[in-house]
Amino acid sequence: EIVFNDLMLYGMVTDAKTKEPLSGVQAVIIDNVSGEMFTFKTLVSGEFKKKLSTKKPNEKCNYNIELSKEGYFPKILTYDTIYYQDGQIRLSDVLDFSLALAVKNLSDLVKINDIRFDVNKADIRPDAGVELDKIVKIMNEYDLMVVELGSHSDCRGSAKYNMKLSDDRAKASASYIKQKITNPDRLTGVGYGESELVNRCACEGAVRSDCSDEEHAKNRRTTFKVISTGSDLLKVGGDDAKEEEEAAKPE
C-alpha cells in the first residue's frame, strides 16, 4: 500500500492588524475523516507543522482547524482537499490564519459609520445595510463571538416611545445580521431608548435641554458589545479524546 513519505500540514498565524507572526497560538487540528486530533502551539515565527505519515494518494480529507490565543478572538476554519502529491500543504496560503485582538466593542475593530433610520421607522435602509454588513463579515470570520447589538435614542420624545422605537430598531438590525451569519443565536438586539445618554443632554419630564442637534445626535447610536470572545466556548478533547502534543518544530 502506497503512502506519502513527506506529506506535512503547515500554517503561519499572524496578527490581523500588524501582520506580524503570533507565537504561542494553540492550534488544534481535527481530522474529520480519521478522527485524529493534533494539538500544538506556534513558534516565535508564528508557524506550526505536522507530518502526516499514513495518508495515501487520492485520499480525501476534511479538517477543522481551531486557533486560539489569550487576548485574541479565537477562530475555527475548515479545510477540504484530496492528497494528490507528497510535500507541504500550506494551509495559511488558502485560509485566513490571522487573529484579531479581542475588543469590548466591535467599533474598536472596524470603522462603523452611523446606522441611520427614517424618522419614527425601524426599516433597514440601504446605507444602514452597508454598515451592518461589516458586522456580518466579522461575525462570520470569528464564528464563536457573541455580540449584543444595542440601539440608543436621544431624550426627545417620551421615554416609553423612545424605548419602543429603539427596541424595534435593534431587533430589525439584529434580524438583518442574523440572516447572514453562522449560528445566529450568537447575536441579540436590545433597545435602550434614552437610558444610556453619553452626555448631559437629558430632557425627560420637567427637565429641559439646551443641547444642540449635534449634541443630541451623539446619543442616537448603535453599539456592538462583545459579550464573549468565544474562548470559553472552545472546548476540545476530553478524557477519551486522542491528543498528540507537538513541539511544532520542523520534522
Side-chain angles (χ1 to χ4, degrees):
E1 186 176 70
I2 299 175
V3 297
F4 289 115
N5 294 318
D6 297 304
L7 191 65
M8 183 177 295
L9 293 177
Y10 166 88
M12 175 184 286
V13 186
T14 58
D15 183 292
K17 185 174 183 179
T18 68
K19 311 305 180 186
E20 294 295 319
L22 277 181
S23 63
V25 176
Q26 177 172 276
V28 180
I29 298 181
I30 301 171
D31 186 329
N32 294 315
V33 176
S34 70
E36 290 182 288
M37 181 169 72
F38 317 111
T39 69
F40 38 84
K41 291 190 176 182
T42 57
L43 299 168
V44 174
S45 63
E47 297 173 300
F48 64 82
K49 296 180 181 180
K50 173 59 189 173
K51 188 171 184 179
L52 304 174
S53 57
T54 62
K55 302 302 180 184
K56 302 181 289 294
N58 299 315
E59 183 178 347
K60 295 181 179 180
C61 82
N62 174 271
Y63 290 112
N64 278 359
I65 304 155
E66 304 174 357
L67 305 173
S68 61
K69 178 179 174 66
E70 185 175 357
Y72 287 81
F73 288 116
K75 179 181 285 188
I76 296 180
L77 302 165
T78 302
Y79 181 70
D80 291 285
T81 193
I82 297 176
Y83 301 116
Y84 288 118
Q85 61 184 17
D86 225 343
Q88 211 174 73
I89 301 173
R90 300 180 65 86
L91 298 172
S92 48
D93 286 356
V94 293
L95 300 173
D96 184 358
F97 269 38
S98 63
L99 295 183
L101 278 170
V103 294
K104 293 183 179 180
N105 197 298
L106 293 186
S107 61
D108 295 327
L109 192 61
V110 63
K111 178 175 173 54
I112 305 169
N113 296 312
D114 291 339
I115 296 173
R116 300 185 182 279
F117 296 87
D118 292 332
V119 176
N120 298 327
K121 292 187 178 180
D123 301 310
I124 303 300
R125 300 180 353 176
D127 57 331
V130 170
E131 303 307 313
L132 294 175
D133 282 338
K134 297 176 182 178
I135 306 302
V136 170
K137 183 177 185 297
I138 293 173
M139 294 194 71
N140 278 332
E141 187 172 357
Y142 299 95
D143 60 1
L144 296 176
M145 179 190 295
V146 181
V147 173
E148 178 200 273
L149 184 157
S151 180
H152 303 258
S153 72
D154 63 31
C155 69
R156 294 175 293 188
S158 71
K160 182 178 179 180
Y161 176 81
N162 286 336
M163 183 65 75
K164 174 66 166 60
L165 182 60
S166 67
D167 197 59
D168 288 346
R169 288 174 171 177
K171 296 293 193 297
S173 300
S175 177
Y176 178 94
I177 295 172
K178 284 184 175 188
Q179 294 175 41
K180 299 187 175 188
I181 63 172
T182 59
N183 306 320
D185 288 345
R186 297 181 294 127
L187 178 70
T188 56
V190 180
Y192 286 95
E194 59 188 77
S195 65
E196 295 189 356
L197 302 177
V198 296
N199 52 27
R200 62 180 181 83
C201 298
C203 56
E204 190 64 25
V207 178
R208 292 291 178 265
S209 173
D210 60 357
C211 289
S212 66
D213 287 342
E214 289 76 15
E215 289 174 306
H216 283 300
K218 292 180 180 179
N219 291 311
R220 299 193 301 272
R221 65 201 189 279
T222 304
T223 55
F224 300 91
K225 183 165 61 176
V226 177
I227 304 301
S228 171
T229 65
S231 57
D232 55 328
L233 306 176
L234 190 60
K235 306 296 184 184
V236 295
D239 293 339
D240 299 325
K242 181 179 179 181
E243 297 190 15
E244 179 180 341
E245 294 294 336
E246 296 285 343
K249 59 186 178 182
E251 299 183 42

